[in-house]
Amino acid sequence: MKLKTSVFFIICSLFVSEVFAQELPFDSMNGFPSPKTRIDYSGWTEPVETMNNNRAAIQFSLYHSEDQSLRMSLRGSHMSVPKGISIPGSSSIEVPESLSSADVGFTYTQKLSDNRTIGGGFSLGSASDELFSSKDSTTIGANFFYSFPSEQNDRWVWALFYSNNNPVFRDYPIPAVAYFYQRPTVMGAVGLPFIFVRWTPDIGPWAFTLFNVVTIVKAEAAYGPQFMQYFLGFDWNQQTWLRRNVQDTDNKLYYDEKKISLGTRFLLAKFVFTEIAVGQSFDRSFYEGQGLGREETVTAFVPTSWFAS
């Protein structure tokens, strides 16, 4: 399997939440994109705290030739929050019971000589308790990337990305560099500001995976062939929204959580990959601020709960 196909498949299939959260151009960072349409959905629900979260995305080609590609994406998410969660502080903030996001994006990729690629993309949408209620709830994202091959079918990627609603990097263009590689038992991308490594040892059908972007972490141990796996995973993630009628428009509403899950993923039908998991969500909270790092005096902690996804 070629590097660009396998890395893209693993990142988007196993770590779809990080693709939503970041404006990293994963679709084209590993080479020229495929013209195929891709649909992703993920969701979880909690029977105790009555919280649930759903995310969906579709990517499809508007134009595709041997050396040019223009793709469009539609993304959306919705979180239902129990009533009565308030963030303490000088002015108490009640967390909205409904938090959503929606955006549309475009990515252009140009193939150059010597298997090099260059391109960029942008997205426009809203993330709030009331979508598109004002210009302050508007989300903007953009990226630029340049990729060229290295030894043994590896690739170097240089990129610049920006998002005004990114939970990790807020309001500033962020440069990125990564080295994508593949060996008989290990593959991944090592660079700044993220790392992705997948190790498949020679003994048994095991796979160990790590993905990290600052405080966004996914770690997993999986057993079984690619079409039928059982896994144990850890997930630390954040989501952000631009709350309607916020007094300081530089502030974002953060949701921070950690999860441990046990589940299985399998090929349900041709081109339909399914994942089912149960687990516990813990050390989670809502807070409002201008960056990562919560202060307990102005944080609304949410009780630990079981979940199914």
Side-chain angles (χ1 to χ4, degrees):
M1 181 180 293
K2 293 183 179 180
L3 174 64
K4 65 179 183 179
T5 303
S6 55
V7 171
F8 173 65
F9 177 81
I10 292 170
I11 289 179
C12 290
S13 294
L14 305 186
F15 307 126
V16 63
S17 60
E18 278 57 65
V19 176
F20 273 95
Q22 309 297 325
E23 287 293 335
L24 295 170
F26 283 129
D27 192 7
S28 301
M29 287 180 76
N30 317 300
F32 200 64
S34 167
K36 293 181 180 179
T37 297
R38 182 180 182 88
I39 300 174
D40 291 295
Y41 168 81
S42 66
W44 52 259
T45 184
E46 299 178 5
V48 178
E49 294 298 325
T50 63
M51 289 183 67
N52 62 75
N53 195 349
N54 296 277
R55 298 179 177 187
I58 180 171
Q59 299 177 347
F60 53 91
S61 180
L62 295 177
Y63 174 78
H64 191 91
S65 66
E66 292 185 357
D67 57 2
Q68 289 182 315
S69 171
L70 178 62
R71 292 179 63 80
M72 181 178 179
S73 65
L74 301 172
R75 304 185 297 182
S77 71
H78 179 263
M79 174 183 281
S80 296
V81 180
K83 187 177 181 180
I85 298 179
S86 297
I87 301 175
S90 56
S91 58
S92 180
I93 301 171
E94 184 169 349
V95 177
E97 296 178 42
S98 178
L99 294 165
S100 303
S101 69
D103 68 61
V104 56
F106 299 88
T107 300
Y108 174 78
T109 306
Q110 171 74 54
K111 184 183 292 185
L112 305 176
S113 60
D114 300 325
N115 200 22
R116 297 172 298 139
T117 58
I118 191 171
F122 73 93
S123 64
L124 182 66
S126 179
S128 181
D129 52 323
E130 186 174 323
L131 293 178
F132 304 101
S133 58
S134 69
K135 64 180 181 62
D136 295 326
S137 68
T138 300
T139 59
I140 301 172
N143 61 66
F144 171 81
F145 54 89
Y146 173 67
S147 172
F148 57 94
S150 183
E151 299 177 357
Q152 304 185 51
N153 201 33
D154 300 345
R155 295 193 72 86
W156 278 102
V157 177
W158 297 82
L160 186 69
F161 64 98
Y162 166 84
S163 173
N164 71 331
N165 190 43
N166 190 294
V168 180
F169 309 105
R170 58 174 298 273
D171 296 337
Y172 301 103
I174 302 298
V177 59
Y179 185 74
F180 285 76
Y181 63 93
Q182 184 175 33
R183 301 294 182 268
T185 60
V186 64
M187 63 179 298
V190 178
L192 294 173
F194 68 93
I195 182 173
F196 164 70
V197 178
R198 182 174 175 85
W199 175 46
T200 52
D202 293 328
I203 303 175
W206 288 94
F208 301 91
T209 308
L210 173 67
F211 180 89
N212 173 231
V213 181
V214 191
T215 58
I216 294 177
V217 180
K218 268 187 172 289
E220 180 188 280
Y223 181 84
Q226 291 189 358
F227 59 85
M228 180 66 179
Q229 288 185 329
Y230 302 94
F231 64 87
L232 174 66
F234 169 78
D235 182 4
W236 180 16
N237 202 359
Q238 298 87 37
Q239 293 178 250
T240 52
W241 300 269
L242 308 173
R243 189 170 58 87
R244 179 174 59 93
N245 295 331
V246 63
Q247 293 182 357
D248 186 347
T249 56
D250 289 333
N251 285 344
K252 296 179 177 61
L253 178 63
Y254 284 78
Y255 176 64
D256 182 281
E257 70 172 350
K258 299 179 179 69
K259 290 181 178 180
I260 294 179
S261 59
L262 180 67
T264 179
R265 64 175 62 94
F266 52 91
L267 193 64
L268 181 64
K270 190 175 182 180
F271 305 120
V272 180
F273 211 67
T274 304
E275 180 177 298
I276 300 174
V278 295
Q280 191 171 74
S281 181
F282 63 98
D283 190 21
R284 53 194 188 147
S285 61
F286 286 96
Y287 63 94
E288 196 163 70
Q290 298 181 14
L292 291 171
R294 64 191 183 191
E295 298 180 16
E296 293 191 7
T297 55
V298 289
T299 298
F301 290 93
V302 181
T304 296
S305 177
W306 294 97
F307 72 89
S309 64

